[in-house]
Amino acid sequence: MSATPQRHRRTRRLTFAAIAVTAGAGAMVAAALPAGAASGGGAGKSRTVDVQMLSFNDFHGTLEPPQGSSGTVTERQADGTTKAIPAGGVEYLATSLREARKGHEYSVTAAAGDMIGGSPMLSGLFHDEPTVEALNKLKLDVSSVGNHEFDEGKTELRRMAYGGCHPVDGCFESGKEYTGAEYKYLAANVTDEKTKRPLMNPTFIWQKGDVKIGFIGVTLEGTPDVVTADGVKGLKFGDEVETINKYAADLNKQGVKSIVALIHEGGLPANGAYNYDCDAPGAGAGISGAIVDIAKNVDPKVDALVTGHTHQAYACNIPDPAGNPRMVTSAASYGRLFTDTTLTYDRQTKDIVRTAALAPKPVNKVVTRDQPKAPDMTELITRWNALAAPVASRPMGYISADIAGRGSEAPEKPLGDMIADAQLEATAPAAKGGAQLAIMNPGGIRADLAYKAAGAEGDGVVTYGESYTVQPFNNLMNVVDLTGAQLITALQQQVSGPVNGPNPKILQVSKGFTYTLDMTKTGADRIVVDSVKLNGAAIDPAKTYRVAMNEFLAGGGDGFTVLKEHKNKLVGVPDLEAFNTYLAKSTEAAPFAPPAADRITVVK
């Protein structure tokens, strides 16, 4: 899952063992305690109490049910087959969370970042104020920041957290001032370069009665690699493990022994089904990715890791440094799932009891659409939609079938081809940059284009709201000089290096640009160099080519460091404008069909 660029405003995986770890490193609970065990809790109180933790991640301002394949989750059936289940939408997420909390005296709701940013138009058009309002209504208690919380920079992030109307666009609703987040945003590993102080609170202590649970929130250390420079200007992003361990010790000094880390970094399960058992033994089982090393090194003081960033669903156990099992969870993205976890709190030790008997495995649950909608969320969506309608409902173009983008798991995505073609067309004229080809980062494609109408526009109509949801960042197009050698290096950086080696990010390419991707090989060798061609002619390493890309890529985003070496940059129109201009070429009688996605030959 590729991380994605900044919105540019022009105005602007093992099973549980019967082992328990207390907050003291390596200290063991002498015996498993049955729920309701006496002593230590005071008169009339059981020694242990179950605390429900509901969690989710990577919401990305998706208030309305996401369209296309982005709006489903894959469920593994008993016979081994899979089934796609429609999921998501804040009206259903609210109902799901409220139902889940019933009968639980102790319940805390936490998130692992990217609550905002890369959002559909309903939220993005209003700088994500509608999403924060919705999260307040959801009774979210705490969230770490993610890379997308920095899409509009640190000042805007603080405004989202603490309130105040937008400095340029002002207040969106007459007579109302934006009041900010009622939940706590945590950014333990993000410090101001000048003051050396954390940008926001590093920890949060949730308390009910005599029960205390501490939360530490961090985003991935590599945030500057996946956000444009303006978004992280003046900030330093520290190592996730070092930061978490530091603040775990601090919480212990405050008497807080139960600790959960909210980490905006994640893993890749061996199977994409949300109910896949990543603790099951056998070939292909388990989880890989950055979160594995993080989990193996985070101090045993930390009892659970709630993660995100990769948009994957998993509920796994990865041993802590003492060799004890510890839960690591992620609830996919866009509010399609939430994780329900029972944390058994020992009032005597003040710690979470981590044993098979007292710590049930966390469960990812689907936010189905066959349940009642939450009326307050319906009202919120209706109200903000009324403000957005004059812009959102405008027809931009026509399509003859679904065009898969974010929902496609293939290296080359039909919608990626379409976007790259739009960018090439916008920048090909000599006066517009003279581009010969265009490249597009896959993470910048935020949705699919769905044929079925979302509203009253009619099937096959692409509205401005839908095109905005696909391309919400409004990054300016750049046309630059790159040598053939640099262009080939960029292709190699898709599948090699510290950023993309473990998790390849395949650039989407415009028509006429072709090459072979050999996945039977490793690293840079996956790019078959002599197969790289432009309009049938082999790329000449010594020749200069005019290449169009968004400003995020031109700045070396997503690990494409070679792209920063460009020359003769010409700044063009916003990427969304280029996309909408391209869509306008279609008509109801001659709609766009899904591209064949045959520019990259993949050898498996």
Side-chain angles (χ1 to χ4, degrees):
M1 184 68 64
S2 175
T4 52
Q6 177 198 21
R7 177 190 307 133
H8 182 92
R9 301 287 184 187
R10 299 195 75 181
T11 59
R12 55 124 168 125
R13 147 161 339 187
L14 304 161
T15 55
F16 268 114
I19 301 171
V21 181
T22 67
M28 306 296 293
V29 170
L33 299 169
S39 83
K45 288 186 177 181
S46 63
R47 174 165 170 174
T48 64
V49 58
D50 285 346
V51 178
Q52 176 191 60
M53 180 171 69
L54 304 177
S55 59
F56 58 100
N57 51 275
D58 297 275
F59 185 65
H60 290 290
T62 311
L63 300 173
E64 297 177 296
Q67 290 189 291
S69 54
S70 294
T72 64
V73 292
T74 300
E75 183 177 78
R76 195 174 191 178
Q77 308 297 298
D79 61 2
T81 61
T82 59
K83 176 182 179 181
I85 302 176
V90 76
E91 294 161 294
Y92 304 108
L93 178 59
T95 298
S96 293
L97 294 178
R98 290 164 185 171
E99 286 296 314
R101 291 180 187 128
K102 290 181 177 179
H104 294 273
E105 182 181 356
Y106 298 86
S107 183
V108 59
T109 303
D114 277 9
M115 294 295 97
I116 58 175
S119 306
M121 182 178 175
L122 178 58
S123 185
L125 188 65
F126 306 106
H127 300 278
D128 280 313
E129 290 181 20
T131 292
V132 176
E133 180 186 346
L135 294 172
N136 290 341
K137 291 178 180 289
L138 285 179
K139 300 301 181 184
L140 178 64
D141 291 292
V142 60
S143 178
S144 66
V145 295
N147 55 286
H148 278 282
E149 266 77 16
F150 295 92
D151 277 352
E152 295 189 53
K154 63 182 181 182
T155 300
E156 176 65 1
L157 171 55
R158 292 180 64 86
R159 186 185 77 86
M160 296 310 296
Y162 305 125
C165 293
H166 192 271
V168 176
D169 295 338
C171 299
F172 296 110
E173 294 187 284
S174 180
K176 290 184 181 180
E177 180 170 331
Y178 171 67
T179 57
E182 294 172 8
Y183 52 95
K184 295 295 183 182
Y185 256 129
L186 306 182
N189 67 330
V190 186
T191 55
D192 186 290
E193 288 182 340
K194 289 183 178 179
T195 68
K196 312 301 181 184
R197 295 175 60 86
L199 176 68
M200 308 179 83
N201 290 335
T203 62
F204 166 71
I205 300 173
W206 176 86
Q207 181 171 6
K208 183 170 183 179
D210 59 348
V211 177
K212 292 182 180 180
I213 298 177
F215 289 86
I216 304 166
V218 300
T219 186
L220 69 156
E221 183 181 10
T223 291
D225 296 324
V226 295
V227 177
T228 58
D230 284 347
V232 295
K233 187 176 181 180
L235 299 175
K236 182 179 179 180
F237 292 76
D239 181 86
E240 303 96 335
V241 173
E242 290 178 6
T243 303
I244 293 169
N245 291 349
K246 171 187 174 181
Y247 285 105
D250 284 356
L251 286 169
N252 265 210
K253 290 176 183 178
Q254 298 177 54
V256 179
K257 307 297 182 180
S258 299
I259 302 172
V260 175
L262 306 175
I263 311 173
H264 192 71
E265 179 60 286
L268 302 167
N271 187 289
Y274 81 89
N275 58 339
Y276 163 67
D277 183 2
C278 65
D279 294 336
I287 182 173
S288 61
I291 199 62
V292 177
D293 283 340
I294 291 173
K296 287 180 178 179
N297 287 284
V298 165
D299 197 294
K301 294 182 182 70
V302 178
D303 298 294
L305 312 182
V306 176
T307 75
H309 189 54
T310 58
H311 290 207
Q312 302 297 302
Y314 47 85
C316 309
N317 280 287
I318 300 175
D320 67 20
N324 305 310
R326 180 165 56 193
M327 56 164 272
V328 179
T329 69
S330 175
S333 60
Y334 308 141
R336 295 172 294 161
L337 299 174
F338 69 94
T339 311
D340 192 338
T341 306
T342 300
L343 303 173
T344 300
Y345 183 90
D346 185 336
R347 286 188 165 107
Q348 183 170 314
T349 65
K350 300 181 181 180
D351 203 359
I352 300 300
V353 183
R354 283 198 267 155
T355 68
L358 294 181
K361 183 175 179 177
V363 178
N364 275 326
K365 298 183 177 180
V366 182
V367 177
T368 62
R369 300 183 197 163
D370 58 358
Q371 59 183 319
K373 297 179 179 180
D376 60 333
M377 294 302 180
T378 301
E379 183 278 330
L380 180 150
I381 289 172
T382 300
R383 175 162 45 86
W384 286 102
N385 261 330
L387 290 173
V391 176
S393 61
R394 293 205 317 261
M396 292 291 109
Y398 301 83
I399 57 175
S400 63
D402 289 353
I403 302 182
R406 190 72 173 190
S408 171
E409 295 182 0
E412 182 182 355
K413 309 173 192 306
L415 188 51
D417 285 359
M418 188 173 181
I419 291 170
D421 286 351
Q423 295 181 350
L424 175 59
E425 190 162 292
T427 58
K432 303 291 186 181
Q436 297 168 272
L437 70 147
I439 55 178
M440 170 67 190
N441 57 306
I445 307 168
R446 303 305 303 178
D448 302 337
L449 281 181
Y451 175 78
K452 185 176 178 58
E457 72 274 12
D459 292 348
V461 178
V462 179
T463 65
Y464 182 85
E466 291 167 332
S467 65
Y468 182 103
T469 295
V470 168
Q471 290 265 267
F473 301 104
N474 255 330
N475 273 290
L476 294 174
M477 291 305 304
N478 288 188
V479 185
V480 303
D481 281 355
L482 289 176
T483 65
Q486 290 172 323
L487 192 53
I488 289 170
T489 297
L491 296 181
Q492 293 172 329
Q493 287 182 342
Q494 300 176 111
V495 290
S496 63
V499 177
N500 299 334
N503 183 23
K505 296 182 180 69
I506 306 304
L507 294 166
Q508 308 300 287
V509 298
S510 58
K511 59 186 176 183
F513 190 69
T514 57
Y515 70 94
T516 297
L517 177 65
D518 189 347
M519 298 305 288
T520 67
K521 297 182 179 179
T522 60
D525 290 339
R526 287 175 167 174
I527 303 301
V528 181
V529 174
D530 61 8
S531 73
V532 185
K533 298 178 180 180
L534 180 60
N535 300 321
I539 290 292
D540 182 347
K543 185 177 176 180
T544 296
Y545 297 87
R546 292 292 282 167
V547 186
M549 64 193 77
N550 60 42
E551 61 184 327
F552 170 70
L553 279 177
D558 267 356
F560 293 97
T561 56
V562 70
L563 297 181
K564 293 192 293 184
E565 300 172 10
H566 64 256
K567 295 181 179 178
N568 300 324
K569 179 172 73 175
L570 178 70
V571 177
V573 299
D575 52 7
L576 178 59
E577 183 177 326
F579 188 44
N580 282 332
T581 299
Y582 188 76
L583 286 169
K585 295 172 53 183
S586 63
T587 66
E588 190 171 8
F592 279 117
D598 56 1
R599 300 165 189 179
I600 304 173
T601 300
V602 181
V603 178
K604 298 181 180 180

